[in-house]
Amino acid sequence: MSPIQKCIKEKNTTIKPIWLMRQAGRYLPEFREIRSKNPDFIKLCLNESLSSEITIQPIKRFNFDAAIIFSDILMLPYGLGQDVKFEKNFGPKLNPVKIEEMMKVTEKEFVDKLNPIYKLINITSKNNILHNKDLFGFVGAPWTILVYMINQISPKKDLKKDFYNDKSLIDNLMNLILKFLKIHIKNQIESGASIIQIFDSWAGLVEEKNLEYFIYKPTLELVNYVKSLNVPVVCFPREIRDYKKFVDVVKPDVVNIDYSVDPKSILKDIKIPIQGGLDPKVLLTQKENIKKKVEEYLNIFKDHPYIFNLGHGILPDTNPEIVNFLVKTVRNFK
Ligand code: CP3
């Protein structure tokens, strides 16, 4: 059994596996090299031989315990016919939703459009470099996907003023998103993903009174769906105010915490395996400080099943040499 599966299924506390969110990305020169020749990000995601190569780049360099497929949560709206573009230093831009057309998209059309992602998973999962390691498939949570589809750009702090105006659009979209997220998850697992992570990057934007509708209910449904396919599921409800309540209601196999969460108090509240937490900005500081901060997490979670990771994606300015240092620090900790 892989270190991550031991941690999750056997609640092993002696192994501290490590991987990093956004580990396949811009801080790596070998990624930037491929990226510079492939200006269209979506096309790059749909090029299974290049996206497979990018997926294993960080494994070659750092021998992490897991790879995460090089893809994007916005491939879902793309698969539903909503065009997505990525502008340099701006982030994603989506076309307006055409709900009538979208509701006519069939499962076959969607799967055909995203088929290179499933090929990428198939190729990568057979690569010997992943022996005894996991391959993460992933999706955006229904709420975060809804945010991008309606808001059309990253909300940063605020949603568009009229975001909640069209109730029937929201209802129709939530149902559609949930249906196709399940299809996307099923195809990832059938292609060889050994674990699924659900990214709810904008969970922190939901008001208390709306949590049931936008977060708990749909995420619980997805989590139960992944469990029914016999693969562990990690949830990352970034900046949600009450992680304990989230875990009690949604019951993922693992919860990823963000860097605003106090690790000591979460340890008291949460019984399931925990992943992540370290502020990615720590990796921009000196080695002594990095060691100190990393060991804080490892000490606090000494007797708890814990997968080392960050509290958000690794920053593009991170020095790969420092990532080597980070991995050594985690591996050498006793
Ligand atoms: O290594 C990995 O983690 C795997 C790949 C991965 C990407 N996106 C590749 C990517 C994963 C897991 C994601 C998830 C994702 N995408 C999320 C959830 C996690 C989070 O960051 O909150 C979100 C919200 C998105 C949407 C998205 N994609 C945004 C907002 C951006 C632009 C911001 C940015 O960092 O440039 C992207 C683009 C993107 N996705 C890049 C990568 C490597 C950068 C593309 C580039 O090279 O320009």
Side-chain angles (χ1 to χ4, degrees), residues 22-24 26 35 41 68-69 71-73 86 148 201:
R22 288 284 177 96
Q23 65 187 23
R26 286 171 297 182
R35 182 75 171 97
F41 179 75
I68 180 160
I69 58 164
S71 186
D72 200 89
I73 62 166
F86 288 87
Y148 281 104
S201 305

